[in-house]
């Protein structure tokens, strides 16, 4: 049975994929459902949900459409989560492959660098980086990736150490393949499957980190995010709790969906090819 089929047939995986499909659809359709700038003034301030059919989720303190913010915020969260995870896995895979395949001094030096990054919590590293470099979306993605690449590096290194002595690797050495070609063409593809399950966890953590940075006012002020919406709503939490609750539900749904898919992917990979 294929990995994708095992993932879909798993109740956990199916639930996670359904949640992510809804969020992805909302993100993709945002320009058509709520065209224009989601930060523009759309109506009277603090309009409650379901009181105006043109503004079904109401407006915030400045009269901005909450539905538009929710949909466009989904796009921001998915872009940040996927891009940061891809960058972290790419950096970690390269470092882990070189460390595991080269061994000796190179392995020791690279692993000490990995240790240095793992000592500092990822959020604090991202917070410090964004505070210095600015809060653009690209900077936030890079900051999150810098705090998340060490774990994939360790996992890839462990996989490479178990693979590098196998017969097909020895055969590649015998026929004269370059060491880097052996490492990245023969070994790395076989070391990646466990990292893919970890990537889902990194996506969820990246979404939460971006929301936290935006909540603290360190995100991109020109881009609507769920974190900035929650921060905006905290100022009128008693009078209009929906301003924080609605984006909060979106954030919980996105993270829950990613974690469910991650759990199901881990189970599917653990079962291997068994039906």
């Amino acid at each position: 049975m294929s990995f994708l089929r095992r993932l879909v047939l798993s109740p956990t995986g199916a639930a996670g994929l359904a949640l992510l499909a809804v969020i992805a659809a909302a993100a993709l359709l945002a320009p058509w459902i709520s065209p224009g700038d989601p930060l523009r003034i759309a109506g009277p301030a603090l309009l409650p949900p379901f009181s105006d059919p043109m503004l079904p989720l109401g407006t915030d303190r400045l009269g901005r459409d909450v539905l538009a913010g929710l949909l466009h915020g989904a796009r921001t969260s998915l872009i940040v989560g996927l891009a940061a995870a891809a960058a972290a896995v790419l950096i970690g895979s390269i470092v882990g492959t070189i460390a595991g395949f080269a061994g000796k001094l190179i392995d020791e030096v690279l692993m000490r660098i990995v240790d240095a990054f793992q000592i500092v919590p990822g959020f604090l590293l991202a917070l410090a980086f964004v505070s210095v470099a600015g809060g653009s979306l690209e900077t936030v993605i890079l900051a999150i990736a810098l705090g998340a690449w060490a774990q994939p590096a360790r996992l890839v290194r462990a996989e490479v150490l178990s693979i590098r002595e196998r017969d097909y690797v020895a055969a590649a050495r015998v026929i004269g393949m370059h060491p880097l070609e052996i490492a990245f063409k023969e070994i790395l593809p076989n070391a990646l499957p466990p990292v893919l399950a970890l990537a889902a966890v990194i996506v969820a953590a990246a979404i939460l980190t971006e929301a936290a940075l935006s909540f603290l006012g360190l995100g991109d002020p020109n881009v609507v995010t769920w974190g900035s919406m929650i921060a905006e709503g905290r100022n009128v939490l008693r009078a209009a709790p929906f301003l924080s609750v609605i984006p909060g539900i979106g954030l919980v749904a996105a993270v829950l969906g990613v974690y469910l898919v991650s759990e199901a992917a881990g189970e599917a990979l653990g079962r291997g090819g068994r039906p």
Side-chain angles (χ1 to χ4, degrees):
M1 187 183 296
S2 68
F3 167 74
L4 183 59
R5 188 178 177 188
R6 291 196 300 271
L7 185 63
V8 172
L9 290 179
S10 165
T12 302
L17 289 173
L19 278 174
L20 293 180
V22 171
I23 295 170
L28 292 173
L29 295 175
W32 289 272
I33 298 175
S34 298
D37 185 1
L39 296 175
R40 73 185 188 280
I41 305 302
L46 295 178
L47 187 69
F50 312 118
S51 59
D52 185 340
M54 298 302 295
L55 300 165
L57 295 183
T59 59
D60 65 6
R61 291 191 307 160
L62 299 178
R64 296 175 294 195
D65 187 359
V66 175
L67 176 61
L70 185 68
L71 297 176
H72 287 268
R75 300 186 76 189
T76 304
S77 292
L78 290 180
I79 289 171
V80 170
L82 294 174
V89 169
L90 177 63
I91 297 170
S93 296
I94 293 173
V95 173
T97 300
I98 294 174
F101 187 75
K104 298 180 181 179
L105 180 61
I106 294 177
D107 182 24
E108 187 69 22
V109 170
L110 290 177
M111 285 301 99
R112 297 296 75 76
I113 295 174
V114 170
D115 290 341
F117 273 85
Q118 284 195 307
I119 288 172
V120 182
F123 176 71
L124 292 182
L125 183 60
L127 183 65
F129 188 88
V130 171
S131 298
V132 173
S136 69
L137 202 59
E138 295 78 9
T139 303
V140 170
I141 291 171
L142 179 58
I144 295 172
L146 286 175
W149 68 272
Q151 194 172 358
R154 282 198 172 278
L155 183 56
V156 170
R157 173 182 176 270
E159 292 293 315
V160 169
L161 287 174
S162 68
I163 293 173
R164 68 179 185 179
E165 302 302 330
R166 294 185 183 176
D167 292 341
Y168 69 88
V169 177
R173 289 194 181 98
V174 169
I175 64 176
M177 288 182 66
H178 191 278
L180 289 178
E181 191 176 7
I182 296 173
F184 289 100
K185 284 189 175 181
E186 301 294 328
I187 296 178
L188 180 57
N190 294 296
L192 279 180
V195 182
L196 298 180
L198 177 62
V201 178
I202 296 175
V203 170
I207 291 173
L208 286 173
T209 301
E210 185 280 325
L213 291 173
S214 296
F215 183 83
L216 295 173
L218 295 174
D220 191 335
N222 300 314
V223 177
V224 62
T225 69
W226 287 339
S228 63
M229 292 176 69
I230 295 172
E232 174 68 22
R234 69 179 173 178
N235 296 313
V236 288
L237 194 59
R238 291 180 179 274
F242 67 91
L243 293 180
S244 292
V245 171
I246 291 174
I249 291 173
L251 187 61
V252 170
V255 174
L256 179 61
V258 172
Y259 270 115
L260 289 176
V261 171
S262 173
E263 288 293 321
E267 293 173 4
L269 288 171
R271 290 176 62 186
R274 295 191 301 273

